[in-house]
Amino acid sequence: MMKILITGTAQGIGRGIAEKFLSNGHEVIGFDRQAGTIDNENYTHYTVDIRDRDKLPEIDGTEILINNAGTQNEDDIDINLKALIYITEKYGVQNKIKSILNIGSASAHTGSEFPEYCASKGGILAYTKNVAMRIAPYGAVCNSLDPGGVITPLNECVINDPELWSQIMDETPLKRWATVEEIADWAYFLTVTNSFCTGQSILVDGGESINYNFVWKD
């Protein structure tokens, strides 16, 4: 059993990752602005805004840190980047750490979303490399997992719009979005199975970022 700290566990990807670790017998601590929704004896939930550095609880011995909490069009740089840095420096950069994973976005690579959102996620790419260098002396790794579209309730506004969904699928070679469970599997692999890949940003986007949109006459 390892001690896992995950931010943004009330719903979506964060909850899915927490459930993946719990199903494998690990101790999970979750942070979220919303109340916890996971009922498991190995799960502890803190209702906290990760921007509030003075209110972050004291937790020792974190072995795996997963920075998942994020937002879109709501103080993106403060939440997605600055608060991620606070959390990492407080809980992740220490001698018990084995792995740190930042949940980024394919938009960090393509720039194809809202300006502050892209900037916040782009900053994660550079910070991931910085942290990887600093925790390497502990034998630990740090990477970012950068999804494209994921089937979550927050994305239902486009998933349930046939016209927009058709346009999105035209941009996605695999013609589907990832499930939360698929992203959780990647998170588990990069933090538990992996012990040598570090400082990398892993794109998991169904090929969206490689779609070159070449058009020519038949």
Side-chain angles (χ1 to χ4, degrees):
M1 176 186 287
M2 288 193 289
K3 182 182 285 189
I4 321 298
L5 173 57
I6 306 170
T7 64
T9 53
Q11 61 184 343
I13 292 172
R15 176 171 175 155
I17 294 173
E19 290 174 339
K20 174 73 176 181
F21 278 90
L22 289 166
S23 71
N24 282 275
H26 298 291
E27 175 189 357
V28 176
I29 300 164
F31 289 179
D32 204 290
R33 289 186 293 181
Q34 301 178 50
T37 56
I38 297 173
D39 182 14
N40 187 295
E41 63 181 2
N42 290 327
Y43 179 73
T44 302
H45 188 85
Y46 290 92
T47 304
V48 63
D49 188 322
I50 58 173
R51 291 173 292 182
D52 294 337
R53 283 183 280 184
D54 295 337
K55 296 181 181 179
L56 295 174
E58 294 303 319
I59 297 170
D60 295 325
T62 299
E63 294 170 271
I64 293 176
L65 169 63
I66 299 178
N67 287 304
N68 165 77
T71 190
Q72 190 179 68
N73 283 344
E74 184 205 343
D75 298 326
D76 294 23
I77 291 174
D78 286 340
I79 296 172
N80 299 348
L81 182 57
K82 289 183 179 180
L84 179 148
I85 293 172
Y86 304 156
I87 294 291
T88 303
E89 298 299 326
K90 183 174 179 66
Y91 303 110
V93 183
Q94 41 85 15
N95 61 9
K96 294 292 198 306
I97 198 70
K98 292 181 172 61
S99 182
I100 297 173
L101 184 67
N102 299 320
I103 304 300
S105 172
S107 297
H109 301 260
T110 64
S112 62
E113 210 162 330
F114 307 105
E116 285 198 18
Y117 182 80
C118 291
S120 69
K121 295 297 187 177
I124 290 173
L125 301 189
Y127 183 63
T128 294
K129 296 180 186 298
N130 175 277
V131 173
M133 292 296 295
R134 290 191 290 130
I135 65 173
Y138 306 132
V141 299
C142 178
N143 295 289
S144 72
L145 174 60
D146 302 343
V150 182
I151 302 293
T152 68
L154 291 177
N155 290 325
E156 287 181 351
C157 60
V158 293
I159 293 170
N160 295 331
D161 185 312
E163 183 176 350
L164 288 177
W165 187 244
S166 177
Q167 292 177 34
I168 290 168
M169 289 300 98
D170 285 343
E171 299 297 321
T172 310
L174 287 183
K175 304 303 178 189
R176 68 179 184 87
W177 273 5
T179 64
V180 166
E181 291 76 18
E182 285 178 300
I183 300 303
D185 286 345
W186 271 100
Y188 195 86
F189 171 79
L190 287 170
T191 54
V192 176
T193 305
N194 167 57
S195 61
F196 197 63
C197 173
T198 193
Q200 302 304 306
S201 301
I202 313 300
L203 265 169
V204 180
D205 69 349
E208 182 181 346
S209 61
I210 61 170
N211 190 346
Y212 53 83
N213 283 318
F214 182 68
V215 178
W216 196 251
K217 186 176 181 178
D218 292 336

